[in-house]
Amino acid sequence: MSAPGYRLAQLAEVLGATLHGDGDARIEHLSIDSRKPFPAGSTLFIALRGHRHDGHRYIPELRQRGVCNFLVLADHHTTTPDDCNLLVVRDTMDALQRLAGWHRSQFRAPVIGITGSNGKTVVKEWLFQLLRGHEHIVRSPGSWNSQVGVPLSVWEMRPEHSLGIFEAGISQPGEMDRLRATIKPTIGVFTNIGPAHGENFHSDLEKALEKARLFNDAEALVYCADHPAVCAALDKSALDQRVALRGWSRERNGWLHVVHEQRSAQGTRITVINDAVSFDFSIPFTDQASVENALHCVTLLLHLGHGPQWIAERMPHLAPVAMRLETVEGLHGSTLVNDAYSNDLASLAIALDHLGLVAGGRPKAIVLSDIAGSGDAPDLLYTRVAELLKRAGVSTILGVGPHMQAHAARFGPGMRSFADAQALLAAFDTQALGGHAVLVKGARSFALEQVVQRWQRQVHGTVLEIDLEALRHNLNHYRALVSLAPAPSGPDRHRDEGRRTEGVKIMAMVKAFGYGSGAVELARLFAHEQVHYLGVAYADEGVELRQQGIQLPILVMNPEPVPFEVMLRYRLEAELYDARSLAEAAAFAAAHPEMPPVHLKLDTGMHRLGFTAEELPELLTQLGQAHKLRVASVFSHLVGSEDPAHDTFTHAQLAQFAHMADRIDAVLGYRPLRHIANTAAISRFPEAHLDMVRLGIGLHGVGCNAAESALLRPVAALRSPIAQVKTLQPGATVGYGRSWRTERERRIATLPIGYADGLSRRLSNGVGRVWIHGRPAAIVGKVCMDMVMVDVSDIPCTAGDMAVLFNATHPITEFAEAMGTIPYEALTGIAQRVKRVYVQG
């Protein structure tokens, strides 16, 4: 579609319909429900007729609302108003499906079609969760898998989408052929066969055969080879002669062989073998249905070319699909509808429909995040969002994210906007929503579940509080040490690469979830503070930042193989550390002149990644041939810059780095940025500042020694509320293994934090302590997965009182020392399930 939508005359030709009215009218939307709000001028209302309904009855009412485009049956077109544009057909349901199928044919992106008796929606949503950072996905909203829901879902496909995921459900013979012609899946997922919708089939095999027809023209099919009816249907339909079968099995050596499943309170760890490679992954679920759904997802991801490590990193973060549209009681008599999981126009429309049902005449409000990855121009996208909210009768709009802020004027006087969820929580008085029905709707990356947690009644839990003012103070401390100049911006960032730009640049490291403090929130602060670069470990972290609107240059420092197409799409800059990675980058740059610049990693003594001095000649030869490759920087890692005992080695590293970088400059013909200094080197080795420094743990208040740490401000505070206090008599034991015993009467408090939250088991039995009302309380017994017990015999306290694990008074360094580790590990070990709250000072 070169212009939005299709001409009505074009649709008439596609359908073989009779056109009455203006053939130049443009159609962008389809609707079958007159009760739902939709754009009057660009919507084609399809008048479906069923046993108990007839859409033609509502045409006069819709005409009064300004709707003027209708798809109608031949025996009704004479009764419609004269000023309508009509497409007249013999069967409006058939026309709807053929229209969507024709629309689907305009695109070449792969499409996943999912069918089965159970699990379709979960598999679809989990695939969306797993792939959204790498694909621009269009999918069925909710459980739209019927003869009507499927074509309406497929109609949402647009040129910018790189992958479609659609469900297909049937209830009687003959239906799947229609859905196949609409979806046209290139990849299939057959979940299972069960008793659902079996009343119109003589056997499970007959039903399975009908469902299998969805995959007649597919290229590959994912299924469980342990389901007899599914396998029988595939054999009988001879799909194996046309389709690449990707079956997983516990009982036989399938394409994916499941060899072990270990369940615990935390979830299930699964061991599989694919192509003779064994690997493990974990999911946060223990029920059999979730395990099967996860195995469908893993099998499909392998088929798509994602490796075991990529999969294993993402599977533990799967979220329950039931989280969507959950209704809970809120503060001040409000009702919260929790849809803090995804955000796109289709799912927003569904959520607004549900909000209308929940409101029951009460005023309606919405907390709405930016809509990422729609592919639409922002002006057009947020105009559409504003129209949706207006038609739904939403009176109070709380926008979250930079795009909602930028387009706030489109939403009228009921709109307030905030940079992020933390800003909303800090600035908005919930009493203003008393008696409202409130939809909390947003992409998962915006963490709007925090709004639900804070605004629902009786919510308590462990919190990691991040002091952004302290973070800014620490940044300014290091700025003063390196005399940083303001960051250049815009397209001239790499102009004058042949000379060193004024001042020393700073790269803020936000890898590992921003050292446990939240990468997105920290990145926004650093962007505001004009930091020059961000450093992440994995491309996924960079993608997430881009999806949240972060525009700073981002260096990806991990060796995980990532397609350069992804790096280009999200403007991420790759670390090159060996001949292979350099050759791949050079080849891609030759074909894509717009490829972002790269960074050369030199190994001067860490012996982890990077080109060694012995490999320098080969590196120079490759660089001399890589004419299209732009090198943004050359860098290395210092091994022991914080320890005076290693100063001689550090000086040797600096000398070797300078020598190797000079050789590289000579071959390139220009001088890329040079950087080698970490937090400790910024303080201890001014000669190592060069063109840029990399600032990590120092941002969080941990200096290279006690003297410097005293000049910094602790950023994070970990607090957990007392869940229960009980009195134990002499001789009682506490915790697993009865490893701690009372010698006298003791009062024991239980806190909802355990090793799954980052509280190490090494702190058990008196090694660690917390602080309650400023007084130490020793940890007694063994630290549990989700809880810990502390001795409060001498501390007046009760349930709900807060215990401090570390804060400005009791710093992270003490906490880490008790754990027998370093502050890096202690901070990054705080689980993401622990709520982060961001404060200004």
Side-chain angles (χ1 to χ4, degrees):
M1 294 181 286
S2 56
Y6 299 106
R7 293 176 58 248
L8 198 61
Q10 185 179 14
L11 301 186
E13 181 179 354
V14 169
L15 296 175
T18 301
L19 170 64
H20 297 273
D22 182 10
D24 289 328
R26 300 203 74 88
I27 303 300
E28 297 181 54
H29 312 283
L30 304 180
S31 179
I32 62 165
D33 191 340
S34 63
R35 298 167 297 180
K36 295 183 177 180
F38 48 77
S42 57
T43 297
L44 178 65
F45 180 80
I46 300 171
L48 298 180
R49 178 186 293 168
H51 296 299
R52 294 186 295 270
H53 67 271
D54 188 344
H56 299 84
R57 292 173 49 194
Y58 305 102
I59 292 178
E61 173 191 337
L62 289 168
R63 191 67 194 94
Q64 292 179 1
R65 287 167 45 187
V67 181
C68 57
N69 304 302
F70 299 92
L71 179 66
V72 300
L73 292 171
D75 59 356
H76 272 268
H77 82 275
T78 57
T79 63
T80 56
D82 294 334
D83 57 349
C84 293
N85 302 319
L86 302 179
L87 294 180
V88 183
V89 296
R90 293 186 177 183
D91 185 337
T92 51
M93 174 68 81
D94 174 71
L96 167 63
Q97 294 172 337
R98 289 192 293 119
L99 189 59
W102 172 81
H103 174 73
R104 159 72 178 93
S105 298
Q106 308 308 302
F107 310 105
R108 295 293 175 263
V111 168
I112 300 169
I114 307 174
T115 194
S117 297
N118 304 102
K120 296 184 292 294
T121 300
V122 172
V123 170
K124 177 200 67 185
E125 294 298 327
W126 281 1
L127 288 173
F128 176 75
Q129 292 178 31
L130 293 162
L131 290 166
R132 65 174 302 179
H134 295 262
E135 302 285 354
H136 189 170
I137 298 172
V138 59
R139 72 194 194 283
S140 309
S143 298
W144 285 24
N145 55 39
S146 67
Q147 297 291 305
V148 173
V150 167
L152 293 177
S153 300
V154 171
W155 183 262
E156 297 303 317
M157 201 167 187
R158 295 292 182 267
E160 61 269 18
H161 292 125
S162 62
L163 179 68
I165 311 177
F166 302 111
E167 300 178 41
I170 51 99
S171 58
Q172 57 188 10
E175 290 185 333
M176 192 57 85
D177 284 342
R178 289 174 170 267
L179 299 186
R180 182 183 73 250
T182 302
I183 299 174
K184 299 179 174 62
T186 55
I187 303 171
V189 178
F190 200 151
T191 60
N192 52 48
I193 286 293
H197 305 296
E199 59 273 14
N200 294 315
F201 297 94
H202 294 101
S203 66
D204 283 349
L205 177 58
E206 183 185 12
K207 182 167 57 174
L209 284 167
E210 176 67 22
K211 289 180 179 291
R213 296 183 70 85
L214 176 64
F215 313 118
N216 280 355
D217 303 315
E219 299 170 4
L221 173 62
V222 171
Y223 68 102
C224 175
D226 299 334
H227 287 299
V230 172
C231 293
L234 299 183
D235 290 341
K236 191 165 185 177
S237 58
L239 275 179
D240 60 327
Q241 299 178 20
R242 310 185 301 278
V243 178
L245 298 183
R246 301 291 185 252
W248 63 266
S249 173
R250 298 182 180 91
E251 302 174 0
R252 63 192 80 179
N253 290 325
W255 192 78
L256 181 74
H257 184 206
V258 183
V259 297
H260 185 64
E261 299 170 35
Q262 182 178 359
R263 286 169 171 80
S264 67
Q266 193 174 7
T268 305
R269 187 165 188 83
I270 303 169
T271 303
V272 297
I273 298 175
N274 170 250
D275 197 20
V277 175
S278 174
F279 66 96
D280 299 332
F281 64 90
S282 297
I283 60 172
F285 307 95
T286 59
D287 61 288
Q288 187 60 39
S290 293
V291 171
E292 289 205 2
N293 292 333
L295 285 165
H296 287 310
C297 292
V298 168
T299 306
L300 190 140
L301 293 173
L302 288 167
H303 171 73
L304 292 177
H306 296 288
Q309 181 180 349
W310 190 96
I311 294 169
E313 289 170 354
R314 287 155 180 78
M315 296 301 291
H317 303 295
L318 290 174
V321 175
M323 173 183 175
R324 302 186 68 235
L325 295 178
E326 177 183 81
T327 301
V328 297
E329 186 177 359
L331 299 173
H332 312 299
S334 65
T335 301
L336 304 181
V337 178
N338 181 9
D339 196 11
Y341 166 71
S342 65
N343 202 12
D344 53 71
L345 287 176
S347 64
L348 176 59
I350 293 175
L352 288 170
D353 289 341
H354 186 69
L355 178 65
L357 294 175
V358 172
R362 291 180 294 165
K364 288 176 280 189
I366 187 171
V367 178
L368 183 66
S369 81
D370 288 351
I371 296 178
S374 74
D376 293 327
D379 288 350
L380 175 61
L381 172 64
Y382 288 96
T383 296
R384 290 175 174 173
V385 173
E387 291 173 351
L388 274 177
L389 300 185
K390 182 179 179 180
R391 289 194 298 269
V394 177
S395 57
T396 300
I397 304 166
L398 305 176
V400 176
H403 293 295
M404 290 295 288
Q405 285 187 310
H407 297 275
R410 301 178 187 276
F411 295 88
M415 169 71 164
R416 288 187 61 183
S417 59
F418 305 86
D420 51 31
Q422 287 70 43
L424 168 64
L425 291 170
F428 187 75
D429 184 357
T430 56
Q431 292 187 23
L433 297 178
H436 283 63
V438 185
L439 171 63
V440 181
K441 172 67 175 167
R444 184 171 177 80
S445 55
F446 281 86
L448 291 189
E449 65 269 17
Q450 296 183 34
V451 176
V452 177
Q453 292 165 2
R454 291 281 292 275
W455 290 2
Q456 67 180 332
R457 293 189 61 194
Q458 299 178 345
V459 175
H460 307 283
T462 299
V463 172
L464 182 68
E465 187 177 275
I466 310 301
D467 187 340
L468 297 180
E469 284 298 323
L471 196 71
R472 184 179 288 109
H473 167 88
N474 299 337
L475 173 62
N476 288 333
H477 168 81
Y478 289 100
R479 275 179 161 164
L481 293 180
V482 299
S483 301
L484 280 171
S489 60
D492 296 330
R493 181 168 58 82
H494 293 289
R495 191 184 55 188
D496 298 338
E497 288 183 303
R499 63 178 179 85
R500 176 176 173 172
T501 58
E502 289 186 29
V504 178
K505 301 179 186 296
I506 194 163
M507 177 184 293
M509 304 306 298
V510 293
K511 60 182 180 178
F513 195 53
Y515 284 67
S517 296
V520 173
E521 289 75 15
L522 269 57
R524 288 186 177 130
L525 174 66
F526 297 144
H528 178 75
E529 293 295 319
Q530 295 186 316
V531 165
H532 300 80
Y533 258 91
L534 298 176
V536 299
Y538 294 93
D540 286 354
E541 296 172 324
V543 170
E544 174 74 2
L545 294 178
R546 288 286 184 248
Q547 291 177 332
Q548 299 302 322
I550 303 300
Q551 298 301 315
L552 288 175
I554 299 175
L555 167 58
V556 179
M557 307 180 74
N558 194 275
E560 177 188 46
V562 176
F564 281 100
E565 290 84 354
V566 174
M567 306 295 281
L568 171 60
R569 184 188 313 169
Y570 293 100
R571 306 186 323 280
L572 305 177
E573 302 179 14
E575 169 188 309
L576 307 182
Y577 54 89
D578 64 4
R580 177 193 56 81
S581 59
L582 176 55
E584 291 176 356
F588 189 85
H592 301 83
E594 71 279 19
M595 175 183 171
V598 298
H599 302 253
L600 298 178
K601 173 68 179 294
L602 304 182
D603 183 358
T604 59
M606 178 71 79
H607 300 320
R608 189 170 61 182
L609 291 175
F611 294 92
T612 64
E614 292 75 16
E615 294 168 331
L616 184 61
E618 181 181 0
L619 166 61
L620 298 177
T621 299
Q622 284 186 279
L623 288 176
Q625 299 170 351
H627 304 295
K628 300 296 184 180
L629 197 66
R630 290 183 297 147
V631 179
S633 82
V634 179
F635 72 105
S636 187
H637 272 79
L638 295 176
V639 174
S641 59
E642 75 284 354
D643 190 347
H646 299 305
D647 284 359
T648 300
F649 191 84
T650 298
H651 286 295
Q653 281 192 272
L654 294 175
Q656 184 177 3
F657 177 70
H659 171 73
M660 295 176 73
D662 286 343
R663 297 281 303 278
I664 291 171
D665 291 354
V667 171
L668 291 177
Y670 58 88
R671 188 182 193 278
L673 297 174
R674 299 182 185 187
H675 51 106
I676 193 171
N678 55 5
T679 293
I682 294 173
S683 301
R684 300 192 65 245
F685 293 92
E687 67 271 31
H689 292 177
L690 304 178
D691 301 308
M692 183 160 62
V693 297
R694 299 191 302 272
L695 184 53
I697 195 66
L699 288 166
H700 300 269
V702 181
C704 64
N705 51 43
E708 182 171 72
S709 294
L711 300 175
L712 303 173
R713 289 171 53 182
V715 168
L718 182 61
R719 300 184 176 93
S720 187
I722 295 175
Q724 185 182 31
V725 179
K726 59 181 59 179
T727 300
L728 300 182
Q729 297 304 311
T733 60
V734 175
Y736 288 113
R738 308 186 69 196
S739 59
W740 189 86
R741 187 181 302 271
T742 61
E743 298 177 355
R744 59 180 175 85
E745 183 178 279
R746 295 280 187 175
R747 293 177 70 244
I748 304 299
T750 299
L751 311 177
I753 182 172
Y755 59 79
D757 302 293
L759 188 66
S760 172
R761 295 182 78 244
R762 287 171 285 184
L763 298 175
S764 300
N765 292 316
V767 175
R769 60 185 176 179
V770 302
W771 300 84
I772 301 174
H773 300 314
R775 300 172 64 177
I779 293 176
V780 297
K782 295 178 180 178
V783 176
C784 307
M785 178 181 289
D786 307 298
M787 288 173 281
V788 67
M789 289 71 73
V790 298
D791 185 355
V792 295
S793 299
D794 302 320
I795 304 174
C797 59
T798 186
D801 291 351
M802 297 300 293
V804 173
L805 290 93
F806 57 82
N807 63 3
T809 305
H810 309 288
I812 183 67
T813 49
E814 294 180 1
F815 180 75
E817 184 178 354
M819 290 173 57
T821 186
I822 57 177
Y824 295 83
E825 181 179 353
L827 276 174
T828 59
I830 305 300
Q832 292 193 32
R833 76 178 188 179
V834 174
K835 180 168 62 179
R836 268 71 175 174
V837 176
Y838 299 88
V839 298
Q840 295 290 334

